[in-house]
Amino acid sequence: MDSPQILQFVDEAVYTNTGKRLNNLQRKIISGILKRQRYADVAESYDYSSQHVKKASHELLQMLSEVFGEPVRKSNLESVLERHINQTITTLGNKNNQKIIGISYINNCPNPSTPTSDKSQPKNPDSQQKSKNQTKIETIDKLRQFGLSDEQIAEALDIPLEQVKQVDLEE
């Protein structure tokens, strides 16, 4: 994964847990750490004071520790991110030397949800079908962003190839 994808992953994880997005300095600090830059180098590159970058980095790493549920330091940021990205994107198999990728859901809610009663379910089956179709379209689009071919997506989601190809037509 390249830096923009990593930053997007971190931003989504932070947003899911805090409701806030990464600011520009936080993004630059993460990029700098991943490029093995010193805080002074990050500060100089982006015209911040070294002390400001160091303080912002400390706050950022504390926040990431809470978001990922484990201690995050400058020295282990890369491995923490790699671990959490791999929890989200799992290799399902390898067929004809093609990597098949699947997306798994990570529940970051501290409290388990309670089962919903049948009364809360939409009575209209068309509404349920539309919701399922929208989820399918979003999943296929996300897998395409990860660079998977339609054939790989069809196999990973266990749906017919024609159904995957129709997603372009539905949009």
Side-chain angles (χ1 to χ4, degrees):
M1 256 186 179
D2 58 8
S3 191
Q5 289 172 317
I6 292 170
L7 289 173
Q8 181 181 352
F9 173 81
V10 175
D11 187 57
E12 288 300 322
V14 168
Y15 182 75
T16 298
N17 284 273
T18 68
K20 296 178 182 177
R21 298 285 184 183
L22 292 175
N23 64 36
N24 288 339
L25 179 56
Q26 291 169 327
R27 291 173 156 287
K28 290 170 182 173
I29 290 168
I30 292 169
S31 292
I33 291 172
L34 295 175
K35 293 176 187 171
R36 298 190 177 22
Q37 292 179 321
R38 297 177 305 130
Y39 291 140
D41 296 333
V42 172
E44 188 178 318
S45 297
Y46 301 108
D47 203 27
Y48 289 100
S49 76
S50 200
Q51 206 53 32
H52 181 68
V53 169
K54 194 171 189 175
K55 181 181 179 210
S57 298
H58 177 73
E59 292 168 359
L60 173 63
L61 294 174
Q62 280 185 318
M63 178 180 60
L64 293 178
S65 294
E66 291 173 19
V67 166
F68 293 120
E70 65 180 285
V72 178
R73 297 177 300 280
K74 183 179 179 183
S75 61
N76 74 345
L77 175 65
E78 189 172 6
S79 62
V80 169
L81 293 179
E82 185 177 304
R83 220 176 2 270
H84 285 272
I85 288 169
N86 285 335
Q87 284 177 348
T88 306
I89 306 168
T90 57
T91 301
L92 295 177
N94 189 339
K95 184 174 181 178
N96 299 331
N97 293 324
Q98 295 178 338
K99 233 181 196 179
I100 308 296
I101 305 291
I103 306 298
S104 63
Y105 175 76
I106 299 175
N107 183 0
N108 289 320
C109 297
N111 300 323
S113 62
T114 57
T116 57
S117 68
D118 288 336
K119 293 177 185 175
S120 68
Q121 298 299 322
K123 293 180 182 177
N124 185 350
D126 288 340
S127 171
Q128 288 177 334
Q129 187 60 39
K130 285 180 184 176
S131 177
K132 286 180 183 178
N133 287 344
Q134 184 61 35
T135 302
K136 179 180 68 173
I137 289 168
E138 290 170 3
T139 302
I140 290 170
D141 286 341
K142 190 68 170 179
L143 291 173
R144 282 182 176 147
Q145 288 175 6
F146 283 112
L148 270 66
S149 69
D150 287 352
E151 291 80 9
Q152 291 170 320
I153 294 169
E155 182 157 340
L157 298 177
D158 197 26
I159 59 177
L161 177 59
E162 289 308 311
Q163 202 172 0
V164 173
K165 290 183 176 181
Q166 283 216 324
V167 169
D168 283 338
L169 303 174
E170 292 173 6
E171 294 180 46

